[in-house]
Every structure is written in C-alpha cells, then in structure tokens.
Coordinates of all heavy atoms in Angstrom, one line a residue:
M1 N 37.6 -35.8 43.0 CA 36.4 -36.7 42.4 C 35.9 -36.3 41.1 O 35.2 -36.9 40.5 CB 35.3 -36.8 43.5 CG 35.6 -37.6 44.6 SD 36.2 -39.1 44.6 CE 34.8 -39.9 43.8
D2 N 36.5 -35.2 40.5 CA 35.9 -34.8 39.2 C 36.6 -35.5 38.0 O 35.9 -35.7 37.0 CB 36.2 -33.2 39.1 CG 35.3 -32.5 40.0 OD1 34.2 -32.9 40.5 OD2 35.7 -31.3 40.2
I3 N 37.8 -35.9 38.2 CA 38.5 -36.6 37.2 C 38.7 -38.1 37.6 O 39.5 -38.2 38.5 CB 39.8 -36.0 36.8 CG1 39.4 -34.4 36.3 CG2 40.7 -36.7 35.8 CD1 40.8 -33.7 36.2
V4 N 38.2 -39.0 37.1 CA 38.4 -40.4 37.3 C 38.5 -41.2 36.2 O 38.2 -40.8 35.0 CB 37.1 -40.9 38.3 CG1 37.0 -40.2 39.7 CG2 35.9 -40.9 37.5
S5 N 39.2 -42.3 36.3 CA 39.4 -43.2 35.1 C 38.1 -43.9 34.7 O 37.2 -44.1 35.5 CB 40.4 -44.3 35.5 OG 40.0 -45.1 36.6
Q6 N 37.9 -44.0 33.5 CA 36.7 -44.6 32.8 C 37.1 -45.4 31.5 O 38.1 -45.3 31.1 CB 35.7 -43.4 32.6 CG 36.1 -42.4 31.6 CD 35.2 -41.3 31.6 OE1 34.4 -41.0 32.6 NE2 35.2 -40.6 30.5
I7 N 36.1 -46.2 31.1 CA 36.2 -47.0 30.0 C 35.0 -46.5 29.0 O 33.8 -46.4 29.5 CB 36.0 -48.5 30.3 CG1 37.1 -49.0 31.3 CG2 36.1 -49.3 29.0 CD1 36.9 -50.4 31.9
T8 N 35.3 -46.4 27.7 CA 34.4 -46.1 26.8 C 34.2 -47.2 25.8 O 35.3 -47.8 25.3 CB 34.7 -44.8 26.0 OG1 34.9 -43.7 27.0 CG2 33.6 -44.4 25.1
V9 N 33.0 -47.8 25.6 CA 32.7 -48.9 24.9 C 31.6 -48.6 23.7 O 30.6 -47.8 24.0 CB 32.2 -50.0 25.7 CG1 31.8 -51.3 24.8 CG2 33.0 -50.3 26.8
Q10 N 31.9 -49.0 22.6 CA 30.9 -48.9 21.5 C 30.3 -50.2 21.1 O 30.9 -51.2 21.0 CB 31.5 -48.2 20.2 CG 31.8 -46.8 20.4 CD 32.3 -46.1 19.2 OE1 32.7 -46.8 18.2 NE2 32.2 -44.9 19.1
I11 N 28.9 -50.4 21.1 CA 28.2 -51.5 20.9 C 27.3 -51.2 19.6 O 26.5 -50.3 19.6 CB 27.5 -52.2 22.1 CG1 28.6 -52.3 23.3 CG2 26.7 -53.2 21.8 CD1 27.7 -52.4 24.6
S12 N 27.2 -52.2 18.7 CA 26.4 -52.2 17.6 C 25.2 -53.1 18.0 O 25.4 -54.3 18.5 CB 26.9 -52.7 16.4 OG 25.9 -52.7 15.3
D13 N 24.0 -52.7 17.9 CA 22.7 -53.5 18.3 C 21.8 -53.7 17.1 O 20.7 -52.9 17.0 CB 22.1 -52.7 19.5 CG 21.0 -53.4 20.1 OD1 20.8 -54.7 19.9 OD2 20.1 -53.0 20.8
P14 N 22.1 -54.7 16.2 CA 21.1 -55.0 15.3 C 19.7 -55.4 15.8 O 19.7 -56.1 16.9 CB 21.8 -56.0 14.4 CG 23.1 -56.3 15.0 CD 23.2 -55.5 16.3
R15 N 18.8 -55.0 15.1 CA 17.4 -55.3 15.4 C 17.0 -54.8 16.7 O 15.9 -55.2 17.3 CB 17.1 -56.9 15.4 CG 17.3 -57.4 13.9 CD 17.0 -58.9 13.9 NE 17.9 -59.7 14.7 CZ 19.1 -60.1 14.5 NH1 19.7 -59.9 13.3 NH2 19.8 -60.9 15.2
Y16 N 17.6 -53.9 17.3 CA 17.3 -53.2 18.7 C 17.0 -54.1 19.8 O 16.3 -53.9 20.7 CB 16.2 -52.2 18.4 CG 16.5 -51.0 17.5 CD1 16.5 -51.2 16.2 CD2 16.9 -49.8 18.0 CE1 16.8 -50.2 15.3 CE2 17.1 -48.8 17.3 CZ 17.1 -48.8 15.8 OH 17.3 -47.9 15.1
T17 N 17.6 -55.3 19.8 CA 17.2 -56.2 20.9 C 17.6 -55.9 22.2 O 16.9 -55.9 23.2 CB 17.9 -57.7 20.6 OG1 19.3 -57.5 20.2 CG2 17.2 -58.3 19.4
M18 N 19.0 -55.3 22.4 CA 19.4 -54.9 23.7 C 18.8 -53.6 24.1 O 18.5 -53.3 25.3 CB 20.9 -54.9 23.7 CG 21.6 -56.3 23.6 SD 23.4 -56.1 23.9 CE 23.9 -55.6 22.3
M19 N 18.5 -52.8 23.2 CA 17.8 -51.4 23.6 C 16.4 -51.7 23.9 O 16.0 -51.1 24.9 CB 17.8 -50.6 22.3 CG 19.1 -49.9 21.9 SD 19.6 -48.7 22.8 CE 18.5 -47.4 22.3
N20 N 15.6 -52.6 23.4 CA 14.4 -52.9 23.8 C 14.2 -53.5 25.1 O 13.2 -53.4 25.9 CB 13.6 -53.9 22.8 CG 13.3 -53.1 21.6 OD1 13.2 -51.8 21.5 ND2 13.2 -53.7 20.4
L21 N 15.4 -54.2 25.6 CA 15.5 -54.9 26.9 C 16.0 -54.0 28.0 O 16.3 -54.5 29.0 CB 16.2 -56.3 26.7 CG 15.4 -57.2 25.9 CD1 16.3 -58.5 25.8 CD2 14.1 -57.7 26.6
N22 N 16.3 -52.7 27.7 CA 16.8 -51.7 28.6 C 18.2 -52.1 29.2 O 18.4 -52.0 30.5 CB 15.8 -51.4 29.7 CG 14.6 -50.7 29.3 OD1 14.7 -49.9 28.2 ND2 13.5 -50.9 29.6
Y23 N 19.1 -52.7 28.4 CA 20.3 -53.2 29.0 C 21.3 -51.9 29.2 O 22.2 -51.9 30.0 CB 21.1 -54.0 27.7 CG 20.9 -55.4 27.8 CD1 20.6 -56.0 26.7 CD2 20.5 -56.1 29.1 CE1 20.2 -57.3 26.6 CE2 20.3 -57.3 29.1 CZ 20.1 -58.1 27.8 OH 19.8 -59.4 27.9
F24 N 20.9 -50.7 28.6 CA 21.9 -49.6 28.7 C 21.4 -48.5 29.6 O 21.7 -47.3 29.3 CB 22.2 -49.1 27.3 CG 22.6 -50.2 26.3 CD1 21.9 -50.4 25.3 CD2 23.7 -50.9 26.5 CE1 22.3 -51.5 24.3 CE2 24.2 -51.9 25.7 CZ 23.4 -52.2 24.7
V25 N 20.8 -48.8 30.7 CA 20.3 -47.8 31.6 C 21.4 -47.3 32.6 O 22.4 -48.2 32.9 CB 19.2 -48.3 32.4 CG1 17.9 -48.5 31.5 CG2 19.5 -49.5 33.2
P26 N 21.4 -46.0 32.8 CA 22.5 -45.7 33.8 C 22.4 -46.3 35.1 O 21.4 -46.7 35.6 CB 22.2 -44.1 34.0 CG 21.5 -43.7 32.7 CD 20.8 -44.9 32.4
R27 N 23.5 -46.6 35.8 CA 23.7 -47.2 37.1 C 23.7 -48.7 37.1 O 23.6 -49.4 38.1 CB 22.8 -46.7 38.1 CG 23.0 -45.2 38.6 CD 22.3 -44.8 39.7 NE 22.4 -43.4 40.0 CZ 21.8 -42.8 41.0 NH1 20.9 -43.5 41.8 NH2 22.1 -41.4 41.1
R28 N 23.6 -49.2 35.8 CA 23.4 -50.7 35.6 C 24.9 -51.1 35.8 O 25.8 -50.7 35.4 CB 22.9 -51.0 34.3 CG 22.9 -52.6 34.0 CD 22.3 -52.9 32.6 NE 22.2 -54.2 32.5 CZ 21.1 -54.9 32.6 NH1 20.0 -54.1 32.9 NH2 20.9 -56.2 32.6
I29 N 25.0 -52.3 36.5 CA 26.2 -53.0 36.9 C 26.8 -53.8 35.7 O 26.0 -54.6 35.2 CB 26.3 -53.7 38.2 CG1 25.9 -52.9 39.4 CG2 27.5 -54.5 38.5 CD1 25.5 -53.5 40.6
V30 N 28.0 -53.6 35.3 CA 28.6 -54.3 34.2 C 29.9 -55.0 34.7 O 30.7 -54.5 35.4 CB 28.9 -53.4 33.0 CG1 29.7 -54.2 31.9 CG2 27.8 -52.7 32.5
L31 N 29.9 -56.3 34.6 CA 31.2 -57.0 34.9 C 32.3 -57.3 33.7 O 31.8 -57.6 32.6 CB 30.8 -58.4 35.4 CG 29.9 -58.5 36.6 CD1 29.5 -59.9 36.9 CD2 30.7 -58.0 37.9
Y32 N 33.4 -56.8 34.1 CA 34.4 -56.9 33.0 C 35.8 -57.2 33.7 O 36.2 -56.5 34.6 CB 34.6 -55.5 32.3 CG 35.7 -55.5 31.3 CD1 35.6 -56.2 30.1 CD2 36.9 -54.7 31.4 CE1 36.6 -56.2 29.1 CE2 37.8 -54.7 30.5 CZ 37.6 -55.5 29.3 OH 38.8 -55.5 28.3
R33 N 36.2 -58.4 33.4 CA 37.5 -59.0 34.0 C 37.5 -59.0 35.4 O 38.4 -58.5 36.1 CB 38.6 -58.1 33.4 CG 39.0 -58.3 32.0 CD 40.3 -57.7 31.6 NE 40.4 -57.9 30.1 CZ 41.6 -57.8 29.5 NH1 42.7 -57.4 30.1 NH2 41.6 -58.1 28.3
R34 N 36.4 -59.6 35.9 CA 36.2 -59.7 37.4 C 36.0 -58.5 38.1 O 36.2 -58.4 39.3 CB 37.1 -60.6 38.0 CG 37.2 -62.0 37.5 CD 38.2 -62.9 38.2 NE 38.6 -64.0 37.3 CZ 39.6 -64.8 37.7 NH1 40.3 -64.5 38.7 NH2 39.9 -65.7 36.8
R35 N 35.9 -57.4 37.5 CA 35.6 -56.0 38.2 C 34.3 -55.6 37.9 O 33.7 -55.7 36.8 CB 36.7 -55.1 37.8 CG 38.0 -55.4 38.3 CD 39.0 -54.4 37.9 NE 40.4 -54.9 38.1 CZ 41.2 -54.6 38.9 NH1 40.6 -53.8 39.9 NH2 42.3 -55.1 39.1
Q36 N 33.8 -54.8 38.9 CA 32.3 -54.3 38.6 C 32.4 -52.8 38.2 O 33.3 -52.0 38.9 CB 31.5 -54.2 40.0 CG 31.1 -55.6 40.3 CD 30.0 -55.6 41.5 OE1 30.0 -54.5 42.1 NE2 29.5 -56.7 41.8
Y37 N 31.8 -52.5 37.1 CA 31.7 -51.2 36.7 C 30.2 -50.7 36.7 O 29.5 -51.6 36.7 CB 32.3 -51.0 35.2 CG 33.8 -51.4 35.2 CD1 34.2 -52.5 35.0 CD2 34.8 -50.3 35.4 CE1 35.7 -52.8 35.0 CE2 36.1 -50.4 35.4 CZ 36.5 -51.7 35.2 OH 37.9 -52.0 35.2
E38 N 30.0 -49.4 36.4 CA 28.6 -49.0 36.4 C 28.5 -48.1 35.1 O 29.3 -47.3 34.8 CB 28.5 -48.0 37.7 CG 27.1 -47.7 37.9 CD 26.9 -46.9 39.2 OE1 26.7 -47.6 40.1 OE2 26.8 -45.8 39.1
I39 N 27.4 -48.2 34.4 CA 27.2 -47.3 33.3 C 26.8 -45.9 33.7 O 25.9 -45.7 34.5 CB 26.0 -47.9 32.4 CG1 26.3 -49.2 31.9 CG2 25.6 -46.9 31.3 CD1 25.1 -49.9 31.1
T40 N 27.7 -45.0 33.4 CA 27.4 -43.5 33.8 C 26.9 -42.6 32.8 O 26.1 -41.7 33.1 CB 28.8 -42.9 34.4 OG1 29.7 -43.0 33.4 CG2 29.2 -43.7 35.7
E41 N 27.2 -42.9 31.5 CA 26.7 -42.2 30.4 C 26.4 -43.2 29.2 O 27.1 -44.2 29.0 CB 27.7 -41.2 29.9 CG 28.1 -40.1 30.9 CD 29.0 -39.2 30.4 OE1 29.1 -39.1 29.2 OE2 29.7 -38.5 31.2
M42 N 25.3 -42.7 28.5 CA 24.9 -43.5 27.2 C 24.6 -42.6 26.1 O 24.0 -41.6 26.3 CB 23.8 -44.4 27.6 CG 23.4 -45.2 26.4 SD 21.7 -45.9 26.4 CE 20.8 -44.7 25.8
A43 N 25.1 -42.8 24.9 CA 24.8 -42.0 23.8 C 24.4 -43.0 22.7 O 25.1 -44.0 22.5 CB 26.0 -41.1 23.4
V44 N 23.5 -42.7 21.9 CA 23.1 -43.4 20.7 C 23.3 -42.6 19.5 O 22.8 -41.6 19.4 CB 21.7 -43.9 20.8 CG1 21.2 -44.7 19.6 CG2 21.5 -44.7 22.2
G45 N 23.9 -43.3 18.4 CA 24.0 -42.7 17.2 C 23.8 -43.7 16.1 O 23.4 -44.9 16.3
P46 N 23.8 -43.3 14.7 CA 23.6 -44.2 13.6 C 24.8 -45.2 13.5 O 26.0 -44.8 13.6 CB 23.5 -43.3 12.5 CG 24.2 -42.1 12.8 CD 24.1 -41.8 14.4
G47 N 24.5 -46.4 13.2 CA 25.5 -47.4 13.0 C 25.4 -47.9 11.5 O 24.7 -47.4 10.7
E48 N 26.2 -49.0 11.2 CA 26.1 -49.5 9.9 C 24.7 -50.3 9.6 O 24.2 -50.9 10.4 CB 27.2 -50.5 9.8 CG 28.6 -50.0 9.9 CD 29.6 -51.0 9.7 OE1 29.4 -52.2 9.1 OE2 30.8 -50.8 10.2
G49 N 24.2 -50.1 8.4 CA 23.0 -50.8 8.0 C 21.7 -50.5 8.8 O 20.8 -51.2 9.0
G50 N 21.7 -49.2 9.4 CA 20.6 -48.8 10.1 C 20.5 -49.2 11.5 O 19.6 -49.0 12.2
S51 N 21.5 -50.0 12.0 CA 21.5 -50.4 13.5 C 22.1 -49.3 14.2 O 22.9 -48.5 13.8 CB 22.5 -51.5 13.5 OG 22.1 -52.7 12.7
P52 N 21.6 -49.1 15.5 CA 22.1 -48.2 16.4 C 23.5 -48.5 16.8 O 23.8 -49.7 17.1 CB 21.0 -48.1 17.4 CG 20.4 -49.4 17.5 CD 20.5 -49.9 16.1
L53 N 24.3 -47.4 17.1 CA 25.6 -47.6 17.6 C 25.6 -46.9 19.0 O 25.5 -45.7 19.1 CB 26.6 -46.9 16.7 CG 28.1 -47.1 17.3 CD1 28.5 -48.7 17.2 CD2 29.1 -46.4 16.4
I54 N 25.6 -47.8 20.1 CA 25.6 -47.3 21.5 C 27.0 -47.0 22.1 O 27.8 -47.8 22.0 CB 24.8 -48.3 22.3 CG1 23.4 -48.4 21.8 CG2 24.8 -47.9 23.7 CD1 23.2 -49.7 21.2
E55 N 27.2 -45.9 22.5 CA 28.5 -45.5 23.2 C 28.1 -45.4 24.7 O 27.4 -44.6 25.2 CB 29.2 -44.3 22.6 CG 30.5 -44.0 23.3 CD 31.2 -42.8 22.6 OE1 31.2 -42.9 21.3 OE2 31.7 -42.0 23.3
L56 N 28.8 -46.3 25.4 CA 28.8 -46.4 27.0 C 30.0 -45.9 27.7 O 31.1 -46.1 27.2 CB 28.5 -47.9 27.5 CG 27.3 -48.4 26.9 CD1 27.1 -49.9 27.4 CD2 26.0 -47.7 27.2
T57 N 29.8 -45.1 28.7 CA 31.0 -44.8 29.5 C 30.7 -45.5 30.8 O 29.8 -45.4 31.5 CB 30.9 -43.2 29.7 OG1 31.0 -42.5 28.6 CG2 32.1 -42.8 30.7
L58 N 31.8 -46.3 31.2 CA 31.7 -47.0 32.4 C 32.9 -46.6 33.4 O 33.9 -46.3 33.0 CB 32.2 -48.6 32.0 CG 31.3 -49.2 30.8 CD1 31.8 -50.6 30.6 CD2 29.9 -49.3 31.3
R59 N 32.3 -46.5 34.6 CA 33.3 -46.2 35.7 C 33.4 -47.3 36.8 O 32.3 -48.0 37.0 CB 32.9 -44.8 36.4 CG 33.1 -43.7 35.5 CD 33.0 -42.3 36.2 NE 33.1 -41.3 35.2 CZ 32.3 -40.3 35.3 NH1 31.3 -40.1 36.1 NH2 32.5 -39.4 34.3
N60 N 34.4 -47.3 37.6 CA 34.5 -48.2 38.6 C 33.3 -48.2 39.5 O 33.0 -47.0 39.9 CB 35.7 -48.2 39.3 CG 36.1 -49.1 40.4 OD1 35.4 -49.2 41.3 ND2 37.0 -49.9 40.3
R61 N 32.6 -49.3 39.9 CA 31.5 -49.2 40.8 C 31.7 -48.4 42.0 O 30.9 -47.7 42.6 CB 30.9 -50.6 41.1 CG 29.9 -50.8 42.0 CD 28.6 -50.8 41.3 NE 27.6 -51.1 42.2 CZ 26.4 -50.4 42.5 NH1 26.2 -49.2 41.7 NH2 25.5 -50.7 43.3
S62 N 32.8 -48.8 42.8 CA 33.0 -48.2 44.0 C 33.3 -46.6 43.9 O 32.7 -45.9 44.8 CB 34.4 -48.7 44.7 OG 34.2 -50.1 44.8
I63 N 33.9 -46.2 42.8 CA 34.1 -44.8 42.7 C 32.8 -44.1 42.3 O 32.4 -43.0 42.7 CB 35.1 -44.5 41.5 CG1 36.5 -44.9 42.1 CG2 35.2 -43.1 41.1 CD1 37.6 -44.9 41.1
A64 N 31.9 -44.7 41.6 CA 30.7 -44.2 41.2 C 29.9 -44.0 42.5 O 29.1 -43.0 42.7 CB 29.9 -45.0 40.2
L65 N 29.9 -45.0 43.4 CA 29.1 -44.9 44.6 C 29.6 -43.8 45.5 O 28.9 -43.0 46.1 CB 29.2 -46.3 45.4 CG 28.3 -47.3 44.8 CD1 28.7 -48.6 45.5 CD2 26.8 -47.1 44.9
M66 N 31.0 -43.6 45.4 CA 31.6 -42.6 46.4 C 31.2 -41.2 45.8 O 31.0 -40.2 46.6 CB 33.1 -42.7 46.4 CG 33.9 -41.9 47.3 SD 35.6 -42.1 47.4 CE 35.8 -43.9 47.2
R67 N 31.0 -41.0 44.4 CA 30.8 -39.7 43.8 C 29.3 -39.4 44.2 O 29.1 -38.1 44.4 CB 31.0 -39.8 42.4 CG 32.3 -39.8 41.9 CD 32.4 -39.8 40.3 NE 31.7 -38.8 39.7 CZ 32.1 -37.7 39.1 NH1 33.5 -37.7 39.0 NH2 31.5 -36.8 38.6
R68 N 28.5 -40.4 44.4 CA 27.1 -40.0 44.6 C 26.9 -39.8 46.1 O 25.8 -39.3 46.5 CB 26.2 -41.1 44.1 CG 25.9 -41.1 42.8 CD 24.7 -41.9 42.4 NE 24.8 -43.3 42.8 CZ 25.4 -44.2 42.0 NH1 25.8 -43.9 40.9 NH2 25.4 -45.5 42.4
D69 N 27.7 -40.3 46.9 CA 27.5 -40.2 48.3 C 28.0 -38.8 48.9 O 29.1 -38.6 49.3 CB 28.3 -41.3 49.1 CG 28.0 -41.3 50.6 OD1 27.1 -40.7 51.0 OD2 28.9 -42.1 51.3
K70 N 27.1 -37.8 48.9 CA 27.5 -36.4 49.4 C 27.3 -36.4 50.9 O 27.9 -35.5 51.5 CB 26.5 -35.5 48.7 CG 26.5 -35.5 47.2 CD 27.8 -35.1 46.6 CE 27.6 -35.1 45.2 NZ 28.8 -35.1 44.3
R71 N 26.5 -37.1 51.6 CA 26.4 -37.2 53.0 C 27.6 -37.3 53.8 O 27.8 -36.7 54.8 CB 25.2 -38.0 53.3 CG 24.6 -37.5 54.6 CD 23.3 -38.5 54.9 NE 22.2 -38.0 53.8 CZ 21.3 -38.8 53.5 NH1 21.1 -39.9 54.1 NH2 20.4 -38.5 52.6
S72 N 28.3 -38.3 53.4 CA 29.6 -38.6 54.0 C 30.6 -37.5 54.2 O 31.3 -37.2 55.0 CB 30.3 -39.9 53.4 OG 29.5 -41.0 53.6
L73 N 30.7 -36.8 53.0 CA 31.7 -35.7 52.9 C 31.1 -34.4 53.7 O 32.0 -33.7 54.3 CB 31.9 -35.3 51.3 CG 32.5 -36.4 50.6 CD1 32.6 -36.0 49.1 CD2 34.0 -36.7 51.0
S74 N 29.9 -34.2 53.8 CA 29.4 -32.9 54.4 C 29.5 -33.1 55.9 O 29.6 -32.0 56.6 CB 28.1 -32.6 53.9 OG 27.2 -33.6 54.4
S75 N 29.4 -34.3 56.4 CA 29.3 -34.5 58.0 C 30.7 -34.8 58.4 O 30.8 -35.2 59.6 CB 28.3 -35.5 58.1 OG 28.7 -36.8 57.8
F76 N 31.7 -34.9 57.8 CA 33.0 -35.4 58.2 C 33.9 -34.2 59.0 O 33.8 -33.1 58.4 CB 33.9 -36.0 57.2 CG 35.1 -36.5 57.6 CD1 35.1 -37.8 58.1 CD2 36.2 -36.0 57.6 CE1 36.3 -38.4 58.7 CE2 37.4 -36.4 58.0 CZ 37.4 -37.7 58.5
S77 N 34.4 -34.5 60.1 CA 35.2 -33.5 60.6 C 36.6 -34.3 60.9 O 36.6 -35.3 61.7 CB 34.5 -33.0 61.9 OG 34.4 -34.0 62.9
G78 N 37.7 -33.8 60.6 CA 39.0 -34.4 60.7 C 39.9 -34.0 59.6 O 39.6 -33.0 58.8
T79 N 41.0 -34.7 59.5 CA 41.9 -34.4 58.3 C 41.5 -34.9 57.1 O 40.8 -36.0 57.1 CB 43.4 -34.8 58.8 OG1 43.2 -36.4 58.8 CG2 43.8 -34.4 60.1
A80 N 42.1 -34.5 56.0 CA 41.8 -35.0 54.6 C 42.2 -36.5 54.5 O 41.5 -37.3 53.9 CB 42.4 -34.0 53.7
I81 N 43.4 -36.7 55.1 CA 44.0 -38.1 55.0 C 42.9 -39.1 55.7 O 42.7 -40.2 55.2 CB 45.3 -38.2 55.6 CG1 46.2 -37.3 54.6 CG2 45.8 -39.6 55.6 CD1 47.7 -37.2 55.0
S82 N 42.6 -38.8 56.9 CA 41.6 -39.7 57.7 C 40.3 -39.8 57.0 O 39.7 -40.8 57.0 CB 41.4 -39.3 59.1 OG 40.9 -37.9 59.1
M83 N 39.8 -38.8 56.3 CA 38.5 -38.9 55.6 C 38.7 -39.8 54.3 O 37.9 -40.6 54.1 CB 38.1 -37.4 55.0 CG 37.0 -37.5 54.1 SD 36.5 -36.0 53.3 CE 37.8 -35.9 52.1
A84 N 39.8 -39.6 53.6 CA 40.1 -40.4 52.5 C 40.2 -42.0 52.8 O 39.8 -42.8 52.3 CB 41.4 -40.0 51.7
K85 N 40.9 -42.1 54.0 CA 41.0 -43.6 54.5 C 39.6 -44.2 54.9 O 39.4 -45.3 54.6 CB 42.0 -43.5 55.8 CG 42.4 -44.9 56.2 CD 43.3 -44.9 57.5 CE 43.8 -46.1 57.9 NZ 44.8 -46.0 58.9
Q86 N 38.7 -43.3 55.7 CA 37.5 -43.9 55.8 C 36.6 -44.2 54.8 O 35.9 -45.3 54.7 CB 36.8 -42.8 56.9 CG 37.2 -42.9 58.3 CD 36.4 -42.0 59.1 OE1 35.6 -41.2 58.6 NE2 36.5 -42.2 60.6
L87 N 36.6 -43.3 53.8 CA 35.8 -43.5 52.6 C 36.4 -44.7 51.8 O 35.7 -45.5 51.2 CB 35.9 -42.3 51.7 CG 35.1 -41.0 52.1 CD1 35.4 -39.9 51.2 CD2 33.6 -41.5 52.3
A88 N 37.7 -44.9 51.7 CA 38.3 -46.1 51.0 C 37.8 -47.5 51.6 O 37.4 -48.3 50.9 CB 39.7 -45.9 51.0
F89 N 37.8 -47.3 52.9 CA 37.4 -48.7 53.7 C 35.9 -48.9 53.6 O 35.3 -50.0 53.3 CB 37.7 -48.7 55.1 CG 39.3 -48.9 55.2 CD1 40.0 -48.0 55.9 CD2 40.0 -50.0 54.6 CE1 41.5 -48.2 56.1 CE2 41.3 -50.2 54.8 CZ 42.1 -49.3 55.5
K90 N 35.2 -47.7 53.4 CA 33.6 -47.8 53.3 C 33.4 -48.4 52.1 O 32.3 -49.2 51.9 CB 33.0 -46.5 53.5 CG 31.6 -46.5 53.3 CD 31.0 -45.0 53.6 CE 29.5 -45.0 53.3 NZ 29.0 -43.7 53.6
Y91 N 34.0 -48.2 51.0 CA 33.6 -48.5 49.6 C 34.6 -49.8 49.1 O 34.8 -50.0 47.9 CB 33.7 -47.4 48.7 CG 32.6 -46.5 48.8 CD1 32.9 -45.2 49.5 CD2 31.3 -46.8 48.6 CE1 31.8 -44.4 49.8 CE2 30.3 -45.9 48.9 CZ 30.7 -44.7 49.5 OH 29.6 -43.9 49.9
N92 N 35.3 -50.5 50.1 CA 36.1 -51.6 49.7 C 37.3 -51.3 48.8 O 37.4 -52.1 47.8 CB 35.2 -52.9 49.2 CG 34.2 -53.2 50.2 OD1 34.4 -53.3 51.5 ND2 32.9 -53.6 49.7
M93 N 37.8 -50.3 49.1 CA 38.9 -49.9 48.2 C 40.1 -49.8 49.1 O 40.2 -49.6 50.2 CB 38.8 -48.4 47.6 CG 37.5 -48.4 46.7 SD 37.1 -46.7 46.2 CE 38.4 -46.5 45.0
G94 N 41.4 -50.1 48.4 CA 42.7 -49.9 49.2 C 43.0 -48.5 49.5 O 42.7 -47.5 48.8
F95 N 43.8 -48.3 50.6 CA 44.2 -47.0 50.9 C 45.7 -46.9 50.9 O 46.4 -48.0 51.5 CB 43.6 -46.6 52.2 CG 44.0 -45.2 52.7 CD1 43.6 -44.1 52.1 CD2 45.2 -45.1 53.5 CE1 44.0 -42.9 52.5 CE2 45.5 -43.9 54.0 CZ 45.0 -42.6 53.4
I96 N 46.5 -46.1 50.3 CA 47.8 -46.0 50.2 C 48.3 -44.7 50.9 O 47.9 -43.7 50.6 CB 48.3 -46.0 48.8 CG1 47.9 -47.3 48.1 CG2 49.9 -45.9 48.8 CD1 48.3 -47.3 46.6

C-alpha cells in the first residue's frame, strides 16, 4: 500500500477564484473520465503573471479509502489472499 498509482495535475488559478472557494482541500473527490479520484496532496507555487500554480496529487478513491482503513487490517485473521479478496470487495474493486 506504500506505492500506488497516482496522477499529478498542475492548475493555474488567475485571480485566486478556486483557491478562495477551497477547491483544493485534501480528500476532495475529483471526477476524471468517469472515475473517482481523491486529492491526497496539494502544493502551491508562483505561476505566470502573479497567479498561483497549484500542483495536485490525485489517487484512486477506493485505494485512498483502503489506505486510511487501518482497523480492517489489524483485526483480520486468515491468509493474505483472503484478506486481499475481502478488502477488494469491500471497496468495490476487482480481485484477480
């Protein structure tokens, strides 16, 4: 669970409109190509013309929920494969 796929996006925000409306808070759900992602990290730097340049790190929503769910892993007794199968079905993911 330490290494998962993620998407990094850079957004320019002239006049700070999206920053003032708190669009970039962690755990906010973002839809991209009919899939749900979650903002996991945000960094702000200088952009062109004094506008901020926001860099967002997005991870799959199911994986982000699974990473935060420490209770399921600590109370599980069984094989690693059965644990992975139960977690996959709990978070609406496929199991191979």
Side-chain angles (χ1 to χ4, degrees):
M1 292 302 299
D2 292 336
I3 301 172
V4 296
S5 59
Q6 59 189 27
I7 300 171
T8 303
V9 179
Q10 289 185 342
I11 300 170
S12 179
D13 186 17
R15 296 182 302 274
Y16 293 83
T17 50
M18 291 187 281
M19 290 281 289
N20 289 336
L21 295 173
N22 292 325
Y23 277 138
F24 309 118
V25 294
R27 296 188 182 179
R28 183 182 185 99
I29 298 172
V30 177
L31 295 175
Y32 178 68
R33 294 191 179 192
R34 296 186 205 165
R35 295 182 190 257
Q36 287 188 351
Y37 293 92
E38 188 175 281
I39 297 175
T40 55
E41 295 177 26
M42 181 197 82
V44 180
E48 295 181 23
S51 300
L53 186 65
I54 299 106
E55 184 171 315
L56 302 175
T57 302
L58 308 173
R59 290 192 184 131
N60 185 296
R61 174 96 169 124
S62 298
I63 292 174
L65 288 171
M66 193 183 313
R67 284 179 59 106
R68 283 198 300 271
D69 186 11
K70 306 293 186 200
R71 205 170 290 160
S72 292
L73 296 175
S74 64
S75 65
F76 186 81
S77 61
T79 66
I81 292 174
S82 62
M83 177 189 70
K85 188 175 183 178
Q86 281 185 346
L87 287 175
F89 288 123
K90 180 178 179 181
Y91 293 106
N92 297 324
M93 299 171 73
F95 181 76
I96 299 173

